């Protein structure tokens, strides 16, 4: 058996397999949103994937596949690196979509909404002083490496390289055109919690939104922490980024993608980042941050449902109109495309 052929491989595939589209999920409910509806019944065991999620699931033709990283940055980084460098696949023309649920910023989005990101910002990578011990004139204990206070831009020599990623804005524009008329699902439970907010879009039905993702292994909650993370996002993107969703894995996956791109294994310009909103990152009026975090916000189910509702038009268009998409979409190199180190420029 060739090293390019997985053990117990589906006999009708050609190896290495070259999918047109691969969906990246983080845990079981996100995975389940795709596997049964798309008939992804062919399982490919890939060494190095999570022990909980050891298979890539593909359809009959091998055109659409899905993998699950496991939750947290370290799981996302190790799982996607193992996949991108696997000899079983040829990903050089494959489109990838990170498709999961997230917390949502009520000033930019609402539960059930589907968001598509330009930036992913690793907001919790930096210094932290416990808020009970920080200087009295500070609004947060978080501040960037190489700085002396919050809301200062770190010097380039202080970047680790994973703090900020900008995706292909030209591809993002094409994707937003595909989903602009998508009607999302909603539930009465989600609407009931949303009604406690006295402003839009928090108290409105779900919509498609283009905005950005904050990555943190710490599931932060409450108005003060969320405001601090929003400020970090604005500072690190020079005022162009607006974080509307919070997630644990995205910067880790995108760092793996940058390294794989530089090795000629994937095309970073074919990555799409979609998050649907399962809960709010900060409390409504007259509710504590703790009660908001632990309360029944009612958005989980509809967020899972809308992963497929919002994501399928993108997958379908790219896979089944392949001639229009196979050559990719040239990224704009005038901004910060790729990582904060400019590795792809």
């Amino acid at each position: 058996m060739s090293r390019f052929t997985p053990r117990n491989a589906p006999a009708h595939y050609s190896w290495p397999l070259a999918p047109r589209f691969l969906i990246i999920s983080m845990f079981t409910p996100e995975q389940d949103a795709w596997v049964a509806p798309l008939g992804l019944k062919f399982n490919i065991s890939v060494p190095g994937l999570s022990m909980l999620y050891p298979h890539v699931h593909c359809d009959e033709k091998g055109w659409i596949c899905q993998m699950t990283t496991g939750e947290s940055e370290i799981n996302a980084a190790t799982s996607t690196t193992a996949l991108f460098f696997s000899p079983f696949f040829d990903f050089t023309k494959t489109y990838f979509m990170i498709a999961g649920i997230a917390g949502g910023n009520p000033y930019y989005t609402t539960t059930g909404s589907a968001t598509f990101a330009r930036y992913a910002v690793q907001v919790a990578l930096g210094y932290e002083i416990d808020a009970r011990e920080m200087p009295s004139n500070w609004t947060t204990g978080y501040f960037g490496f190489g700085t002396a206070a919050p809301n200062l831009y770190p010097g380039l020599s202080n970047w680790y390289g994973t703090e900020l990623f900008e995706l292909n804005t030209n591809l993002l524009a094409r994707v937003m055109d595909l989903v602009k008329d998508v009607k999302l699902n909603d539930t009465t439970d989600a609407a009931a919690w949303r009604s406690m907010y006295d402003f839009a879009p928090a108290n409105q039905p779900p919509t498609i939104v283009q905005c950005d993702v904050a990555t943190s292994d710490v599931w932060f909650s409450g108005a003060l922490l969320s405001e601090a993370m929003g400020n970090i996002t604005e500072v690190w993107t020079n005022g162009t980024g607006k974080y509307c969703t919070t997630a644990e894995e995205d910067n880790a996956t995108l760092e793996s993608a940058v390294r794989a791109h530089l090795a000629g294994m994937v095309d970073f310009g074919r990555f799409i980042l979609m998050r649907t909103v399962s809960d709010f990152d900060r409390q409504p009026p007259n509710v504590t941050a703790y009660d908001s975090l632990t309360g029944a916000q009612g958005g989980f189910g509809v967020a899972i449902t809308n992963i497929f509702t919002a994501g399928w038009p993108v997958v379908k268009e790219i896979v089944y109109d392949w001639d229009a998409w196979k050559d990719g979409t040239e990224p704009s190199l005038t901004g910060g495309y790729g990582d904060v180190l400019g590795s792809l420029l």
Side-chain angles (χ1 to χ4, degrees), residues 213-293:
V213 174
T215 298
S216 170
D217 270 335
V218 175
W219 191 333
F220 58 86
S221 182
L224 297 178
L225 275 177
S226 297
E227 186 68 23
M229 300 311 182
N231 290 337
I232 290 172
T233 298
E234 289 203 34
V235 170
W236 289 4
T237 61
N238 290 310
T240 59
K242 304 293 183 185
Y243 112 68
C244 67
T245 55
T246 69
E248 293 178 294
E249 299 85 9
D250 296 336
N251 283 58
T253 296
L254 294 175
E255 174 66 13
S256 298
V258 165
R259 298 188 189 192
H261 175 106
L262 293 172
M265 308 302 288
V266 306
D267 178 357
F268 186 84
R270 296 177 186 237
F271 277 73
I272 301 161
L273 173 47
M274 180 187 75
R275 289 281 181 169
T276 60
V277 180
S278 62
D279 58 277
F280 289 109
D281 65 356
R282 65 200 82 187
Q283 65 273 31
N286 304 313
V287 176
T288 68
Y290 178 80
D291 287 340
S292 178
L293 175 64

Side-chain angles (χ1 to χ4, degrees), residues 288-310:
T288 68
Y290 178 80
D291 287 340
S292 178
L293 175 64
T294 59
Q297 296 195 22
F300 179 86
V302 71
I304 292 294
T305 300
N306 283 338
I307 289 176
F308 186 85
T309 303

Side-chain angles (χ1 to χ4, degrees), residues 10 40 54 61 100 129 191 262 308 320:
L40 308 182
K61 294 182 178 180
I129 296 175
L262 293 172
F308 186 85
Y320 296 110

Side-chain angles (χ1 to χ4, degrees), residues 2-6 9-20 42 44 58-63 65 86-91 94:
S2 166
R3 72 184 184 91
F4 297 105
T5 306
H12 66 291
Y13 287 165
S14 296
W15 302 99
L17 189 66
R20 295 179 178 182
F42 296 95
I44 303 166
C58 298
D59 66 357
E60 178 76 30
K61 294 182 178 180
W63 288 357
C65 296
S86 170
F88 303 158
F89 295 92
D90 175 359
F91 288 133
T94 302

